[in-house]
Amino acid sequence: RHSPFTVTTLAGDGDAYNPGRTDGDGAQAKFDYPTGMCFTHDFSGLFIGDRNSGLLRRMDAHHPYTVTTVATVPRIWGVAATPDGLYVYATTGSGNIRETTWGIAKITLSDGSLSMLTTGLSYHRGMTMTSDGSTLYVADEFNGNIRRVDTTTGASSLIFSMGGCTTPYGVLLSADEATVYVPCAGSARGVYAYSLANNAVSSSVAFDGTPTHAVPGNPHGAVLNHDGSVMYVLDWGECEIFAVAMNGAALTTSVTSVAGQQNYNSGAACGHADGIGASAKLGRVVNGVLSRDGNTLYFTGRNAVRTLTLDLAQLANQPPAPPPLTAMVGNDLVLDGVNLREMMTVLGALGRRRFIRVSGGSGPTTQFNGLYYCSVQECDVPMYRDGPYTTGALGPATIPGTSKN
């Protein structure tokens, strides 16, 4: 069974210092800065824009998560799938990325052909498509605006300028396609909601480290859950994923960290380690998509494709049931059938500490019976212990039969 907010690596090894472009199963595959991603039209796999390798990759959505190369696309970033192929945002030349010609191309999967839909664009990042496939919305990073592209004619038009936000990275549509959401990673960092009907920003949430919004991040991507009640923001600078509560189409200032650790742009908390909540390490997360059932967020970052299992009940602040008594069963310390390692990491993901009663030990394990005050990292010296008392914090690894380390 899955615990809430569990981060799992599906493909790639997360090695930021040894990138590659090797196809293969799971960890055998190598990436070099995977960025844009989308599901195939039938949800059997995911398309991934592997930017620095200049490759469009496909990963099967089931074990062993086989990664294959679909096409060579220089400097690929945004991707959006169609029934017979997909649109990609990339450069048509080489050299300094600020000097090359960027555009949107259509790749037909049946024959692998690539045809340019439009060129002469600036350096864009995120891209999303309307449900009928008629329109693409793209984030123009260098010019600080959002553009609309007609997929039939290739005509490009300015939708709105971001104003104070100089570096829009992502772009996302609401379910009714009446609102465009833009994560901004430059100045005026945050996420902005733009009403297409009113031609104006209708709401926003700052990620600028001010006392009111103390999240000093660099949001690159955003994903709405299926009912529109929660937006997941992928923060490249913080190496963290946040959940923003929604009020209809409006963003609120209720922001909760669900995976990764606060980094404050130092890089110290960035890395690659699977785990639950704050125990997971994320590396420069960029983009994400939601599974068909809405229970899993797929995302790219640090040369890997990973998943985050979601727990909407927890985000709705529904109080968890109080933990039952723990006991020694055989030689293993368990909590209602759950190994102590999982139990304690769940507590950490909840951001809570709990009093844990350990009882039922026999023989040499009797000394660990008592009432402990536990978090994800350790159980403190018990307020009361049945067996011999020792000073100092009692780490989970010192309890016989546990696998926490």
Side-chain angles (χ1 to χ4, degrees), residues 51 64 81 92 115 145 148 151 176-178 200 227-228 298 305 365 397:
R51 179 184 179 274
T92 57
S115 58
N145 58 48
R148 177 191 286 122
T151 58
D176 62 5
E177 302 183 354
D227 66 6
Y298 291 75
V305 178
T365 63

Side-chain angles (χ1 to χ4, degrees), residues 74-97:
R75 297 287 189 176
I76 184 173
W77 192 283
V79 293
T82 68
D84 62 341
L86 71 161
Y87 293 101
V88 297
Y89 187 81
T91 179
T92 57
S94 60
N96 188 300
I97 59 175

Side-chain angles (χ1 to χ4, degrees), residues 268-319:
C270 300
H272 185 91
D274 290 348
I276 300 175
S279 68
K281 281 198 170 186
L282 311 181
R284 305 308 190 191
V285 290
V286 177
N287 211 330
V289 291
L290 201 62
S291 62
R292 187 186 299 199
D293 62 12
N295 295 327
T296 305
L297 175 69
Y298 291 75
F299 65 95
T300 56
R302 202 178 178 95
N303 296 334
V305 178
R306 309 173 77 180
T307 57
L308 173 68
T309 56
L310 305 176
D311 185 347
L312 292 180
Q314 183 174 316
L315 288 175
N317 295 319
Q318 295 183 10

Side-chain angles (χ1 to χ4, degrees), residues 210-254:
T210 62
T212 305
H213 312 104
V215 186
N218 254 306
H220 273 41
V223 180
L224 279 170
N225 71 334
H226 288 333
D227 66 6
S229 62
V230 177
M231 176 182 289
Y232 298 98
V233 178
L234 292 89
D235 197 306
W236 185 92
E238 285 300 291
C239 299
E240 199 165 2
I241 298 176
F242 297 93
V244 178
M246 303 293 293
N247 182 13
L251 295 154
T252 75
T253 57
S254 175

Side-chain angles (χ1 to χ4, degrees), residues 15 26 30 33 37 130 156 171 202 218 241-242 245 287 312 318 320 345 404:
D15 188 343
K30 298 284 285 185
Y33 198 16
M37 68 186 315
T130 55
S156 169
V171 61
S202 54
N218 254 306
I241 298 176
F242 297 93
N287 211 330
L312 292 180
Q318 295 183 10
T345 49
K404 175 73 177 176

Side-chain angles (χ1 to χ4, degrees), residues 107-145:
I107 296 178
T108 302
L109 296 177
S110 59
D111 58 9
S113 62
L114 185 149
S115 58
M116 294 305 298
L117 175 66
T118 182
T119 59
L121 300 177
S122 178
Y123 185 35
H124 287 51
R125 294 282 192 172
M127 180 169 66
T128 191
M129 185 168 59
T130 55
S131 57
D132 63 4
S134 65
T135 304
L136 292 166
Y137 291 91
V138 292
D140 181 346
E141 177 199 354
F142 286 166
N143 290 316
N145 58 48

Side-chain angles (χ1 to χ4, degrees), residues 1 324-327 329 332-340 342-343:
R1 74 187 172 84
L325 293 180
T326 58
V329 176
D332 197 25
L333 186 62
V334 299
L335 173 68
D336 192 26
V338 178
N339 184 276
L340 182 63
E342 182 171 358
M343 177 272 291

